[in-house]
């Protein structure tokens, strides 16, 4: 479960990015976060994986209170959260296999288990045949599928995605969305910031709209709204 209460975030330059957010997201939910540019969507989701800390308020993820979480325990938190970005953030000098294996290697998983688990998730994203390729040998959609494989290799209970289809053409965006749906159907909670109006209005999910650092709308099967 994800829970925020009375969360505020002011950046060091004085910008008030989050202006009092209270929210509960239950296990297995699929949530879109929408709103205009600069509304605070990225800040809202960055706080969930402790990329940013709130200035005040409480954030609890899977029973872990982020406000009192020691720096040394952040890697442990991140293991229960998969993160997917608009620009993929793959390591260019590592192959597809190595990019996905990395998260398991750092926790000292044994090589046989790593190989099995990596090939299983590459199979899920239909890229097993490109395990030896490097990121720059893949299309954008393929790179995003690798980053999704990387994000789920640890079996996280929560997946956070910031504009995952922002750099992809419409057909490829739909492929990626179907993958997210499949992952959600297996029980993973998904929180996705998006500007993709067509997807939000077609693949109906809970919609949280953020404007000026506040939640202005929260609907079980919502619409995108009037943002660009
Ligand atoms: P969105 O994702 O909805 O576009 P952001 O969360 O990125 O919104 O930004 C919310 C506000 O915080 C904006 O005014 C933005 O300029 C500001 N902001 C975002 N990141 C930083 C940062 N690292 N330092 C200072 N201000 C920031
Ligand atoms: P798209 O138009 O769908 O983004 P591309 O035309 O970039 O895809 O690539 C088509 C296929 O060719 C993809 O399967 C991709 O992996 C492969 N490919 C693209 N560039 C290279 C490359 N430099 N080396 C090897 N394979 C490549």
């Amino acid at each position: 479960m994800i829970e925020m209460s009375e969360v505020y975030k002011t950046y060091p330059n004085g910008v008030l990015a989050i202006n009092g957010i209270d929210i509960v997201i239950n296990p297995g939910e699929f949530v879109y976060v929408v709103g205009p540019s600069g509304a605070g969507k990225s800040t809202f989701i960055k706080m969930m994986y402790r990329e940013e800390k709130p200035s005040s308020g409480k954030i609890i993820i899977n029973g872990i209170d982020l406000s009192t979480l020691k720096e040394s325990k952040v890697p442990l938190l991140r293991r229960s959260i998969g993160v997917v970005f608009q620009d993929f953030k793959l390591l260019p000098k590592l192959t597809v296999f190595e990019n996905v294996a990395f998260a398991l290697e750092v926790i000292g998983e044994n090589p046989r288990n790593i190989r099995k688990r990596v090939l299983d998730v590459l199979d899920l994203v239909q890229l097993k045949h490109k395990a030896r390729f490097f990121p720059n040998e893949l299309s954008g959609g393929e790179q995003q599928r690798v980053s999704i494989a990387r994000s789920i290799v640890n079996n996280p209970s929560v997946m956070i995605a910031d504009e995952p289809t922002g750099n992809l053409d419409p057909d490829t965006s739909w492929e990626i969305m179907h993958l997210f749906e499949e992952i959600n159907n297996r029980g993973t909670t998904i929180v996705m910031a998006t500007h993709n109006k067509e997807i939000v209005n077609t693949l109906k999910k809970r919609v949280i709209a953020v404007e000026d650092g506040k939640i202005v709308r929260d609907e079980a099967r919502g619409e995108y709204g009037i943002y660009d």
Side-chain angles (χ1 to χ4, degrees):
M1 186 167 84
I2 300 172
E3 198 175 352
M4 292 194 184
S5 38
E6 290 181 61
V7 169
Y8 292 80
K9 168 72 181 180
T10 305
Y11 282 107
N13 64 355
V15 171
L16 176 63
I18 296 296
N19 188 13
I21 280 190
D22 294 272
I23 187 97
V24 172
I25 296 172
N26 287 307
E29 281 198 83
F30 193 136
V31 181
Y32 297 122
V33 181
V34 305
S37 288
K41 303 182 295 298
S42 292
T43 305
F44 173 61
I45 68 176
K46 278 178 181 165
M47 290 190 299
M48 291 178 191
Y49 59 98
R50 252 288 280 266
E51 178 68 22
E52 292 290 350
K53 283 187 195 176
S55 309
S56 65
K58 208 174 173 92
I59 303 178
I60 297 173
I61 311 283
N62 299 332
I64 303 174
D65 184 343
L66 302 202
S67 40
T68 56
L69 187 68
K70 292 203 186 87
E71 265 337 294
S72 61
K73 299 281 188 205
V74 171
L76 201 65
L77 166 80
R78 298 256 172 93
R79 254 174 255 163
S80 66
I81 304 175
V83 187
V84 172
F85 304 94
Q86 177 170 4
D87 60 357
F88 323 133
K89 298 199 194 297
L90 299 173
L91 296 167
K93 292 190 172 148
L94 300 186
T95 65
V96 164
F97 183 97
E98 291 163 348
N99 264 281
V100 177
F102 195 74
L104 296 174
E105 281 162 358
V106 299
I107 60 171
E109 189 57 79
N110 85 57
R112 187 195 301 248
N113 290 350
I114 291 177
R115 192 181 145 74
K116 172 152 188 3
R117 180 68 189 146
V118 171
L119 292 177
D120 280 351
V121 290
L122 286 178
D123 201 27
L124 176 72
V125 302
Q126 297 179 358
L127 279 176
K128 213 164 144 184
H129 60 297
K130 294 202 172 167
R132 292 171 192 275
F133 282 51
F134 287 91
N136 70 359
E137 297 172 325
L138 303 178
S139 70
E142 289 172 326
Q143 290 183 60
Q144 193 57 299
R145 277 148 59 198
V146 176
S147 97
I148 290 169
R150 175 185 58 185
S151 79
I152 59 173
V153 74
N154 271 324
N155 263 321
S157 55
V158 175
M159 231 175 134
I160 311 279
D162 198 351
E163 295 279 350
T165 62
N167 283 341
L168 305 175
D169 62 57
D171 286 351
T172 309
S173 297
W174 275 109
E175 277 174 31
I176 294 295
M177 288 307 300
H178 292 312
L179 205 46
F180 278 113
E181 274 223 296
E182 192 173 333
I183 292 165
N184 178 244
N185 286 339
R186 295 172 180 215
T188 309
T189 309
I190 297 184
V191 182
M192 178 182 296
T194 184
H195 278 116
N196 197 317
K197 181 176 182 172
E198 190 202 332
I199 283 173
V200 173
N201 288 345
T202 309
L203 205 61
K204 293 275 190 144
K205 308 286 180 193
R206 180 175 175 188
V207 173
I208 294 172
V210 178
E211 289 176 33
D212 295 327
K214 289 196 183 96
I215 293 175
V216 296
R217 180 157 63 88
D218 182 352
E219 297 163 337
R221 284 169 62 81
E223 293 274 333
Y224 180 80
I226 52 164
Y227 318 113
D228 288 332

